[in-house]
Amino acid sequence: QHDPLRVLFPRAEPGEPLTAALVTTSGGLVAGDRLDISFAAGPGAEALLTTQAAEKVYRSTGADCTIALDLRIDSGARLEWLPQETILFDGARLRRRTAIDFAADGTVMAGEIVVFGRHAMGETVCRGLVRDAWELRRDGRLVWAEALHLEGALDDALADPAGFDGARAMATMVYAAADAPGRIGCARALLEAAGAEAAATCLDGVLIVRWLDRDAQRLRRNYGDFRAAFRAAVAGLPARLPRLWAV
């Protein structure tokens, strides 16, 4: 580890796997900052990765902030990536790439929340850049990739009925495992019970769930409740979030 990143290992609660918490000691990202993050779960290992707090991306003077996240899941391993939300300030410029390489008999559950402005503070996001790209490879073969790219007048895309339709927060979760195709019914049932604006689909053995909401706190709550219930259903793990999510 190297400043401004640190990895802490809080005591795992009963029934939980090894838990690691990522800390950005700088308190947020500004123009030109770059974070390179890499985690690997060895054969048969189990781990839960989270973050100490929300990540803030501040207004840029022109340069982009870059986050490169690489996750590797070896044979028989299980890895959860459960960071708290990324908050974009007006004028922020963020490029993030999440690359996941997992063994055919490995399991990964990963997700991200993006919030456009601190609405409780009366802030709005009108301009900037956000590029959020995902790449998933099974045994080195690309099985799913996509990228959200918004640049310039972000408020237009956020307000457009064919875009975000007024939503100010979004979330994505992917579940890649041998049993992923058989879990889509469970995912959709949980979403329907919550009444959230969300949907689930499955492509080439990768289950993808998406949320949109005008209320960032409500989205965070719905996303967290889903993650807790889904991990319990598919892995028999406790139906709860890391304690840091309640701090």
Side-chain angles (χ1 to χ4, degrees):
Q1 58 186 327
H2 188 282
D3 288 337
L5 291 174
R6 293 191 64 195
V7 181
L8 306 179
F9 295 93
R11 182 175 301 166
E13 297 183 71
E16 294 287 355
L18 173 73
T19 300
L22 187 66
V23 181
T24 306
T25 58
S26 61
L29 303 180
V30 296
D33 283 353
R34 177 181 176 89
L35 300 182
D36 293 296
I37 304 163
S38 179
F39 286 105
E46 294 188 12
L48 167 62
L49 313 176
T50 187
T51 56
Q52 183 188 44
E55 187 70 87
K56 299 179 179 66
V57 184
Y58 297 106
R59 179 178 62 84
S60 172
T61 55
D64 298 341
C65 296
T66 304
I67 299 176
L69 171 67
D70 290 280
L71 304 177
R72 193 188 80 233
I73 299 89
D74 288 343
S75 177
R78 176 184 298 276
L79 184 69
E80 288 184 83
W81 170 241
L82 183 59
Q84 299 190 55
E85 62 267 39
T86 299
I87 302 173
L88 302 178
F89 284 59
D90 189 33
R93 297 186 62 85
L94 171 66
R95 294 181 182 270
R96 178 166 59 194
R97 177 190 60 83
T98 301
I100 302 173
D101 198 338
F102 62 101
D105 62 347
T107 299
V108 59
M109 188 187 307
E112 294 280 1
I113 301 174
V114 177
V115 176
F116 295 90
R118 299 181 301 174
H119 292 255
M121 304 292 290
E123 299 173 355
T124 58
V125 172
C126 299
R127 59 186 178 84
L129 164 72
V130 55
R131 181 176 177 83
D132 207 2
W134 291 79
E135 296 178 1
L136 269 70
R137 288 178 168 80
R138 181 188 297 114
D139 289 335
R141 182 179 72 86
L142 185 66
V143 291
W144 182 68
E146 70 153 37
L148 169 71
H149 187 99
L150 302 174
E151 187 171 9
L154 300 189
D155 50 349
D156 289 344
L158 295 176
D160 196 316
F164 282 68
D165 194 24
R168 289 297 184 268
M170 68 175 189
T172 300
M173 188 210 81
V174 297
Y175 175 68
D179 66 342
R183 298 297 187 177
I184 192 166
C186 171
R188 288 174 173 169
L190 290 172
L191 295 176
E192 183 177 357
E197 187 174 353
T201 190
C202 192
L203 299 170
D204 201 359
V206 179
L207 176 62
I208 306 149
V209 187
R210 286 268 170 60
W211 290 260
L212 282 176
D213 208 310
R214 295 169 182 260
D215 186 320
Q217 281 296 105
R218 183 171 57 202
L219 182 142
R220 174 187 164 99
R221 183 174 62 251
N222 286 332
Y223 175 85
D225 289 348
F226 178 92
R227 287 289 299 257
F230 190 75
R231 75 195 297 260
V234 303
L237 293 168
R240 63 187 175 212
L241 297 175
R243 284 175 293 179
L244 286 169
W245 274 62
V247 175

